[in-house]
Amino acid sequence: MLRNFLFMLLLILQSSLYSQEKRVNTVVLDANEAPPYWSKTLPNDGIAGEIIYALSKVSGLNSEIVFKPLSRNIEDETNNDLGNPAFFMANQDFAAIIPIALYHISLYYYDSDHKEKFYFKSLADLKGKKIGILKGTLIDNSYFQKEGVQFEESYSHESLFKKLKLGRLDMIIVIDLVAQQTLKQLYPQEIAKFIQVNINTSSNPIAIMLADEYPDAKNIAKKYRQGLKKIIENGTYEKILSRYYIKETLPDGWFKELERFEQLYKMDEE
């Protein structure tokens, strides 16, 4: 009996040590729900999640994505983040920033009869309007207040679109594919009533950001970059994005823009 007990105890200890070792060797990355880019409801946590797991596999790293509200991720000064570096760099220093994907942002307004035509040329076009935005993404509200633009923050994209439809907001600012995904879920029969207005033709980066004090961050960043290069060269990267983009094509200049951001943040790192 004692022998069996000791044997079971040994198995438990070995299992515990294995779990601890796996946890130590796992790079934990914090993200916020923003389907289809990040979401625990999607296969492999969405587009960017698929990219991270694919490049981790070929580079010998074990990555884990943990979902938290964006505002909490921004306020945390010690964690590894996923997203647009512009939202995080004011509060936290990073040992490395590795851009892995791109996104574009648009304005949306609700017009059930398609009677209104709105054209965005400058900030003055938004004066007097109430604009919805995801909490944590507004960097300098005082500047916009001086220009007469009023923002209202919400904790989710679903909340933004619901407020827009109810007339509580005049417009909202949302990421392109996130808007498409949210509308398909909330209002699949009314998508045409939500009018998209492009406000920025340039791309924005989605990146892995490793905390300044994270152990062996420079070496991990090197492996991430090598893994990204491998999955781009072997076609895995484009195959992942083709599952989300219409007509299975990437936006023009995708890889050129991705390389531009890579060089930009690598220069800051050096």
Side-chain angles (χ1 to χ4, degrees):
M1 182 68 72
L2 179 61
R3 183 180 298 175
N4 289 338
F5 173 76
L6 291 174
F7 178 72
M8 292 300 297
L9 181 61
L10 180 61
L11 286 178
I12 292 170
L13 288 172
Q14 286 179 335
S15 176
S16 176
L17 288 171
Y18 173 75
S19 298
Q20 289 178 16
E21 182 182 358
K22 184 179 179 183
R23 187 70 182 176
V24 168
N25 293 329
T26 297
V27 184
V28 178
L29 307 165
D30 290 345
N32 65 291
E33 280 284 339
Y37 293 96
W38 312 107
S39 181
K40 56 187 175 185
T41 64
L42 293 173
N44 292 311
D45 297 334
I47 302 175
E50 285 198 52
I51 292 171
I52 286 175
Y53 295 135
L55 66 86
S56 297
K57 184 177 180 180
V58 299
S59 59
L61 292 170
N62 185 34
S63 301
E64 178 185 353
I65 298 174
V66 175
F67 288 92
K68 301 175 184 176
L70 179 60
S71 55
R72 279 181 57 192
N73 290 340
I74 292 174
E75 291 165 4
D76 190 339
E77 299 177 358
T78 61
N79 65 330
N80 300 321
D81 287 300
L82 297 171
N84 185 341
F87 300 140
F88 300 87
M89 293 177 71
N91 291 344
Q92 184 176 354
D93 293 326
F94 294 101
I97 296 176
I98 307 101
I100 60 167
L102 306 170
Y103 73 90
H104 298 80
I105 57 175
S106 297
L107 273 169
Y108 278 83
Y109 64 95
Y110 183 77
D111 183 6
S112 58
D113 301 318
H114 285 242
K115 290 181 179 179
E116 298 180 18
K117 290 290 182 182
F118 178 82
Y119 300 95
F120 179 79
K121 295 180 181 178
S122 68
L123 195 59
D125 295 323
L126 301 180
K127 192 171 183 178
K129 296 186 182 297
K130 195 173 185 179
I131 313 296
I133 195 166
L134 193 67
K135 187 171 179 61
T137 59
L138 187 59
I139 298 173
D140 186 3
N141 192 26
S142 61
Y143 169 76
F144 293 102
Q145 287 179 337
K146 291 176 183 176
E147 297 297 322
V149 181
Q150 182 184 356
F151 283 98
E152 180 177 315
E153 296 183 310
S154 291
Y155 282 96
S156 71
H157 296 96
E158 290 81 4
S159 175
L160 287 173
F161 277 101
K162 287 178 181 178
K163 288 179 182 179
L164 183 63
K165 188 176 186 296
L166 291 171
R168 292 171 56 186
L169 296 170
D170 297 308
M171 293 184 169
I172 61 175
I173 297 177
V174 194
I175 297 172
D176 50 6
L177 288 186
V178 174
Q180 293 176 31
Q181 184 84 6
T182 306
L183 285 173
K184 286 178 183 177
Q185 292 175 349
L186 290 179
Y187 308 112
Q189 306 303 321
E190 299 182 77
I191 292 177
K193 296 178 181 179
F194 292 86
I195 314 301
Q196 180 181 3
V197 180
N198 292 325
I199 61 175
N200 190 355
T201 56
S202 64
S203 302
N204 299 278
I206 297 173
I208 299 170
M209 292 163 273
L210 299 176
D212 198 33
E213 62 273 26
Y214 195 75
D216 204 23
K218 297 290 185 183
N219 186 44
I220 292 172
K222 183 179 179 181
K223 290 182 178 180
Y224 273 139
R225 290 189 175 104
Q226 290 172 343
L228 180 62
K229 184 179 179 181
K230 286 180 182 177
I231 65 170
I232 289 175
E233 289 176 347
N234 66 22
T236 301
Y237 186 99
E238 192 163 356
K239 191 177 294 183
I240 291 171
L241 268 70
S242 72
R243 291 197 282 271
Y244 296 87
Y245 277 89
I246 298 171
K247 297 180 182 178
E248 299 188 351
T249 57
L250 295 180
D252 292 338
W254 181 283
F255 292 107
K256 186 176 180 180
E257 276 291 280
L258 193 60
E259 185 178 357
R260 181 175 72 84
F261 282 117
E262 165 63 20
Q263 294 302 319
L264 176 66
Y265 287 112
K266 203 169 182 182
M267 284 174 62
D268 288 344
E269 182 182 324
E270 291 170 354

